[in-house]
Amino acid sequence: LELNVEGQSVDIEVTLKQGTAKKVILRFGENTATYDFTSQKLDEMPLKSTEGEVAVRVLVDRPMVELVGGGGACYKTQARRDMGQPLRTISLTAVGGTATVQSLTVWKMRSIWTR
């Protein structure tokens, strides 16, 4: 699944259901977040799925990414690899089988800074 997007800042909410996939990779620009259904981890942070489902929220700002799993069960902030370049695409890839996107919402965010 691939979406074209504009801008540097977005709010992504996705709920995934495991099929036969071992992992699902969410790509946004040059950045990634990976959920491993086998180890029950989101980017190496423990996050148990519930009946094979997992919810992930990614807040992408110009310099940073905030990754939230399970409604706050795990949380991580990291610098963007692309140093704030426009994202262009957001994609989801199932590795080793299939997974279902139960829901996917992407909001474009505006800057809080006035010009």
Side-chain angles (χ1 to χ4, degrees):
L1 172 67
E2 185 170 295
L3 304 171
N4 293 322
V5 295
E6 295 179 13
Q8 299 169 307
S9 302
V10 295
D11 183 350
I12 305 165
E13 288 188 358
V14 61
T15 302
L16 303 166
K17 183 161 182 75
Q18 183 181 20
T20 56
K22 294 179 178 20
K23 298 179 182 182
V24 173
I25 301 169
L26 172 64
R27 289 184 178 86
F28 42 100
E30 296 176 21
N31 307 278
T32 62
T34 302
Y35 185 74
D36 187 322
F37 284 104
T38 304
S39 66
Q40 301 274 297
K41 291 185 178 181
L42 174 63
D43 269 14
E44 299 304 318
M45 298 180 293
L47 178 62
K48 293 193 182 289
S49 64
T50 304
E51 296 179 13
E53 286 190 13
V54 63
V56 177
R57 185 173 187 184
V58 183
L59 295 158
V60 183
D61 198 0
R62 282 187 227 170
M64 303 297 291
V65 173
E66 293 178 66
L67 184 59
V68 184
C74 64
Y75 174 85
K76 175 166 94 172
T77 300
Q78 64 188 29
R80 284 180 58 181
R81 293 184 185 133
D82 55 17
M83 303 178 87
Q85 295 298 312
L87 293 175
R88 303 194 202 300
T89 61
I90 294 171
S91 67
L92 283 162
T93 305
V95 178
T98 62
T100 301
V101 177
Q102 297 287 81
S103 66
L104 172 63
T105 308
V106 179
W107 290 279
K108 183 177 177 182
M109 296 191 300
R110 293 184 306 204
S111 174
I112 63 167
W113 304 106
T114 58
R115 296 177 192 233

